[in-house]
Amino acid sequence: MFALVNLSYLTAAVFFILGIKGMTKPKTAVRGNQLSAIGMLIAVTAALLHHDIIGFTTIIAGILLGSSIGALLAKRTAMTSMPELVASLNGVGGGASLAVAGSTWLTAIAANSVVTGVWSAAILASIVIGAITLSGSVVAVLKLKGTIGDSKRARQWQLITAASLVGILACASMMFGEGQLSSLVLLAIVGLCLLLGVGLVQPIGGADMPVVVALLNAYSGLAGAATGFVLENQGLIITGSLVGASGLILTAVMCKAMNRSLPNVLFGGAFGPQADTQSKSNDSEFYDGKVKYATPDDLALLLDGARSVVMVPGYGLAVAQAQHAVKELANQLEARGAKVSYAIHPVAGRMPGHMNVLLAEAEIPYDQLKDMDTINPELPQADVAIVLGANDVVNPAAAEDPNSPIFGMPILDVHKAKTVVNVKRSLSPGFAGIPNSLFIRDNSLMVKGDAKEVLQATTSAIKEL
Amino acid sequence: MEMLVLSFTIFILALFVGVELINKVPPTLHTPLMSGTNAISGIVIVGAIVSAGTNHLSPTVASVLGFIAVTLASINIVAGFMVTDRMLNMFKQKG
């Protein structure tokens, strides 16, 4: 029986691997996701056959409760809030690992088990990673929602982080030194780790949340793998490390797209120099009289003659829920024979691939979505590039000004298009907090306003031409 | 100890498989990839089920934690797979 259960876990892991393999192409992705779901069903069934289980009431109640909450979340969440949902699910996953580890610990105390060093290390890892993922995700979700702003007390958080680390080490040494388990030590470790999670994420700026969400995704997987070590369950280890690898790769992709190292993202807020507040006062001087404003009617006239148009969506598009308005304008332009494509910067939006999902929701074919390396050589031939609520990812200073704080960050070369139209609510700086020299270029026009309203006005103006 | 070496071997090999596989996922699908991996990290439910179901007659803190773990993992599994399916179907419609 034991062998059969373990073989089922292995089968489930194979299904997960095949499922992720399906995710490598949009056409096979739905099937891939279904394969993963079948794998999960196999694993759950196998777990229910475990010979130690004496009561099913709690299990079934938990599954029913969790499934209804999950189904509700999946149905209700708008595509624009996907980053918040994924960040919450990271935290839930971490919490689940933490609860399993805590329960296993208490059961071991009750049974007076003699524990090995390996077991202790594994359960400690499971608790530490699980708790950090849980509390860190809560902070990340609140930051994504804008409920908490950027911390001005990064140094204090740094102290709290250090103090909780020392506390965890003390607890761990007690645990290993005495070879004794106590529920008091468990409680202390969990509390300190939760605090550590908050201390680690709180000093990181809201702009860097995509990286944090990807990293917490990795942690939630690694917490699962650690639980696998505790329970000596290889299926759990395989699956946890798959998820861990996925999160780590996405973290690396994000960091590369921002031209920053992971330590810089994670600790820049707490250990780096405090951001200077001077740049803001220079903004009005920087832009003074040099920005050319246009109206949606001007934009319509401009687009009427364009053969090739590139849309550059940014977070502003998500905020304005303008994905359907983009599609309407694109339909008009395509009806007039123009070629429309979409340039997607890897860090556009609030999580990896967020823009692609929003545009897919508006039924824009995914083969019109171009990544940075594909679209950059095509931009000099584009008649019009429309920047929709993006800022730092199109700032030419990243390519041209060695003194700029974002110098070296890969950008979309929209300034090379014949005309760039920036649709933006204000001239306020992007996440990097620096003015954008794109707005004062000769080939650049600014249409002030909400992305959705501007696009709708332009679409109706074009229809009247 | 032997078990640990074996488990560790599996852990490292699985990491490599994961890296190889996920590097091939196009950026377009990165958001569904994240929600999909959220779902499969719900695999911790197998540990949760054992924690929730093996406890002695009276409810203990351990079995309450087991119940919480089963609930949380179920949220992950159901929300993860359903929302991933919702997103992927938007990509499937055309192309």
Side-chain angles (χ1 to χ4, degrees):
Chain A
M1 197 60 192
F2 178 73
L4 186 68
V5 169
N6 266 2
L7 275 178
S8 315
Y9 291 156
L10 179 66
T11 317
V14 170
F15 270 94
F16 295 150
I17 292 174
L18 292 176
I20 296 178
K21 193 158 186 284
M23 288 270 207
T24 51
K25 287 192 195 81
K27 275 184 187 162
T28 54
V30 173
R31 171 55 66 85
N33 190 48
Q34 287 163 353
L35 280 178
S36 302
I38 294 172
M40 189 60 76
L41 197 66
I42 295 172
V44 171
T45 315
L48 288 173
L49 293 175
H50 196 286
H51 51 84
D52 283 349
I53 295 178
I54 42 176
F56 285 94
T57 346
T58 350
I59 300 173
I60 292 167
I63 291 180
L64 286 179
L65 178 63
S67 305
S68 350
I69 299 173
L72 214 65
L73 281 177
K75 287 228 166 100
R76 291 273 175 86
T77 309
M79 286 300 148
T80 37
S81 335
M82 208 44 72
E84 286 94 322
L85 178 66
V86 168
S88 316
L89 291 182
N90 286 340
V92 170
S97 296
L98 174 64
V100 172
S103 173
T104 313
W105 181 312
L106 292 174
T107 310
I109 296 177
N112 256 329
S113 324
V114 181
V115 297
T116 61
V118 173
W119 186 90
S120 309
I123 203 156
L124 200 61
S126 175
I127 289 173
V128 172
I129 307 173
I132 290 178
T133 315
L134 175 60
S135 61
S137 296
V138 171
V139 178
V141 171
L142 292 176
K143 286 208 165 196
L144 284 169
K145 284 194 168 159
T147 320
I148 23 180
D150 287 351
S151 178
K152 290 179 190 69
R153 299 185 180 175
R155 303 264 176 211
Q156 278 92 322
W157 282 111
Q158 182 190 349
L159 278 177
I160 292 173
T161 306
S164 39
L165 254 180
V166 172
I168 293 165
L169 284 176
C171 290
S173 61
M174 269 170 69
M175 182 179 160
F176 283 101
E178 313 257 322
Q180 289 270 321
L181 298 169
S182 90
S183 39
L184 209 64
V185 176
L186 172 65
L187 207 64
I189 292 184
V190 171
L192 286 167
C193 292
L194 289 173
L195 194 62
L196 181 63
V198 177
L200 283 173
V201 178
Q202 177 61 22
I204 303 174
D208 293 332
M209 279 308 122
V211 183
V212 175
V213 172
L215 191 66
L216 289 171
N217 192 229
Y219 285 174
S220 73
L222 294 176
T227 313
F229 277 98
V230 176
L231 304 175
E232 298 192 333
N233 179 330
Q234 274 89 16
L236 214 59
I237 297 177
I238 299 175
T239 315
S241 41
L242 284 178
V243 176
S246 162
L248 289 174
I249 288 178
L250 293 177
T251 310
V253 168
M254 293 275 103
C255 285
K256 196 170 157 241
M258 298 199 299
N259 192 34
R260 290 169 67 188
S261 68
L262 185 58
N264 179 279
V265 173
L266 295 183
F267 304 115
F271 297 91
Q274 300 284 0
D276 57 80
T277 43
Q278 284 184 328
S279 61
K280 277 178 188 157
S281 57
N282 296 335
D283 276 5
S284 52
E285 224 172 282
F286 185 86
Y287 291 126
D288 194 27
K290 296 173 199 153
V291 182
K292 292 186 288 296
Y293 289 98
T295 64
D297 293 333
D298 301 332
L299 179 54
L301 277 174
L302 181 71
L303 288 171
D304 190 36
R307 307 302 308 153
S308 155
V309 178
V310 179
M311 307 277 189
V312 185
Y315 184 61
L317 175 123
V319 173
Q321 306 258 7
Q323 62 271 37
H324 298 284
V326 178
K327 173 66 175 167
E328 274 174 49
L329 179 60
N331 283 347
Q332 280 300 316
L333 296 175
E334 280 170 343
R336 284 156 190 269
K339 181 173 162 280
V340 181
S341 41
Y342 301 81
I344 317 257
H345 192 278
V347 293
R350 280 289 173 91
M351 72 181 290
H354 189 204
M355 282 301 133
N356 307 68
V357 170
L358 290 180
L359 296 176
E361 189 192 12
E363 306 197 353
I364 291 165
Y366 59 80
D367 49 13
Q368 286 185 7
L369 312 183
K370 305 282 175 64
D371 60 28
M372 187 164 57
D373 296 333
T374 320
I375 197 77
N376 269 346
E378 296 175 17
L379 275 166
Q381 283 93 47
D383 293 317
V384 183
I386 307 178
V387 181
L388 299 158
N391 194 341
D392 296 327
V393 296
V394 293
N395 192 340
E400 293 164 357
D401 177 10
N403 296 321
S404 171
I406 59 166
F407 182 70
M409 177 174 122
I411 55 158
L412 292 162
D413 297 331
V414 288
H415 56 281
K416 291 183 182 161
K418 293 196 185 82
T419 310
V420 190
V421 181
N422 300 291
V423 179
K424 233 179 152 299
R425 276 182 297 187
S426 69
L427 282 174
S428 61
F431 294 132
I434 52 166
N436 192 336
S437 60
L438 175 70
F439 304 156
I440 54 171
R441 295 233 162 188
D442 291 337
N443 62 341
S444 167
L445 289 174
M446 168 74 76
V447 183
K448 259 194 179 179
D450 174 81
K452 190 174 175 182
E453 284 161 19
V454 169
L455 287 167
Q456 284 169 343
T458 311
T459 310
S460 44
I462 281 200
K463 281 182 188 160
E464 285 163 19
L465 283 175
Chain B
M1 203 61 194
E2 253 170 53
M3 193 65 174
L4 174 75
V5 175
L6 182 67
S7 296
F8 202 69
T9 313
I10 292 172
F11 175 65
I12 297 295
L13 290 179
L15 270 181
F16 273 95
V17 173
V19 169
E20 283 302 312
L21 259 175
I22 282 136
N23 265 328
K24 295 201 181 81
V25 177
T28 296
L29 294 181
H30 276 171
T31 294
L33 173 69
M34 284 180 87
S35 59
T37 51
N38 268 330
I40 65 174
S41 72
I43 182 75
V44 79
I45 196 170
V46 304
I49 285 176
V50 178
S51 297
T54 50
N55 265 289
H56 325 284
L57 306 167
S58 60
T60 56
V61 182
S63 61
V64 171
L65 279 176
F67 169 73
I68 294 174
V70 172
T71 311
L72 293 179
S74 309
I75 294 178
N76 249 9
I77 294 170
V78 174
F81 281 127
M82 279 179 66
V83 89
T84 309
D85 190 63
R86 211 178 120 198
M87 276 191 272
L88 291 176
N89 272 309
M90 299 187 317
F91 283 98
K92 197 186 171 191
Q93 281 159 11
K94 55 268 134 184

